[in-house]
Each structure stands twice: as structure tokens, then as C-alpha cells.
Amino acid sequence: MGKVYIVGAGPGDVDLITVKGLRCIECADVILYDRLINKELLNYARQDAQLIFCGKLPQQHAMIQEHINQTLVSYAQQGLIVTRLKGGDPFVFGRGAEEAEVLAKHHIPFEIVPGITSGIAVPAYAGIPVTHRDLSSSFAMVTGHMQEGKDDAIRWESLAKGIDTIAIYMGVGNLPYIRQQLLKYGREEETPVAVIHWGTFAAKQRTVTGTLATIEEIVQTENIQNPSIILVGEVVALRETIQWFEHNSPQPIQVTG
């Protein structure tokens, strides 16, 4: 019997993967990787490792989830080391738990390797902290993509009234509905909002800001698409002071012996 590592690759910047995550790439016989990982990470794989793309676009799946599950099981049962490489963290809207359940059902050894999730890292790269002693003592991560055929289970009233900062994943396509729900349940129109596209990718990251009253029109005008994180809360205003990534070229950290 082999083993499966379900690994969070981080939000995009290749340097943000964990040391353990990198080791799982280096030792793997087979790597199943998603669309949003930084492809540079695959350069750390062994030359003889089998690389399998199983990413998803909205309404388009290169490999459906059931097939991914079967593939993980099949390779592990052949005695191989399998690394399942996911963007961000595998347990934050990453279906990592679903895959772990399948592996457990088939008695296949596995490990979960956490990754830095986009809801925290992407705002940080845009100069926006998700918490702040003066502005935000509560933070929530929410999916903005409703599962097809199911009712919206998000407690919008609790989010609108009880949470200072909200990070919304996969929500650009549903931005009009998200905005409507937050306003309906009491969030002020003047609440600052940021939408961050391809966060932490040096050549791609774009950030637009506005308010709940204006952000929908701004996103349309600037043609902001997925993948993007929506951040709602007073902390967005701090971007004016501490934005750093998009206007600088971060230098690689030099390690000396």
C-alpha cells in the first residue's frame, strides 16, 4: 500500500508553500494538481514523477471529483506515493475532506498538509489585514459559489450584522447577489470593499476598491474576473497606507550559511 499526501500549495506565490508541502512534491511518484497552483512548484518534482492535471474552471471540469477520488485510490493501491496538490489550504473550500474520507474508506494511509489560505494571504498582499485592534475583531471566510441545485445556506444576516471582516471566495460571478444580501440584512452602503484578482501572483495581481454601493459597477468597468477574493470591511481602508506588493518588486530572500 502506498500513501497519499493532501497538500495545500498556498495562494500562488511559489515561496508561500510550507517546507513539508515542498517535501511532499519532491518525494511523490504521482502528483495530481489543481488549476490555481503555481506551476513553478512542479519543477521540484522528480523527473520520473507522473503529473496529472485535474483542475476545474467554472462550469468546466478537467476531471470530475469522483474520478479524482478513484485516481488517488488506484495509485495508492499500487504502492505509490501520491501528492494531491491543491491551491490554498485543502480544508478551506478545497474538497480535501471529501478526498480524505474516500481514502479512509479504502484504508489508505494519508496525511493532510495545511497550506496558507487565500482569504488571509491575498488581502495581506494587497495591504489589507483581516483583523485590526481598532477596526476588526472578527473575521469570516465564506464561499460565494452556491452548489448547483441547492438552496443558499449562508447566514447572511449573521454575517452582515455580526462579522467585522468577510472574505468571500469564488464570489465574483455572484457579486450582485452577495452585495444585495449584505445590504438587505443591514450592512451599510459605505462599507469598504476590495476585490483582488490573482492574489500573490507578481505579474497578475490586481486590486480594485470601492464600497458596497459602488463595487459592482467598478468590477464590471475594470473587467475583474475569477479567480478573485472579495473582502468586505473597514480594514479595506488601510490599503491606502500599507499596500506594498503591487507597487514593488519583492526580492527573493537570500539564505546564507
Side-chain angles (χ1 to χ4, degrees), residues 132-151:
H132 188 278
R133 186 167 58 172
D134 297 325
L135 299 174
S136 175
S137 60
S138 57
F139 168 59
M141 294 181 285
V142 182
T143 176
H145 176 70
M146 318 310 171
Q147 190 169 343
E148 189 173 349
K150 292 194 175 182
D151 294 334

Side-chain angles (χ1 to χ4, degrees), residues 222-234:
E222 296 296 328
N223 193 30
I224 302 296
Q225 316 246 342
N226 278 315
S228 296
I229 286 281
I230 302 168
L231 203 73
V232 180
E234 298 300 326

Side-chain angles (χ1 to χ4, degrees), residues 115-138:
I116 300 174
T117 187
S118 298
I120 295 171
V122 168
Y125 268 52
I128 303 169
V130 295
T131 65
H132 188 278
R133 186 167 58 172
D134 297 325
L135 299 174
S136 175
S137 60
S138 57

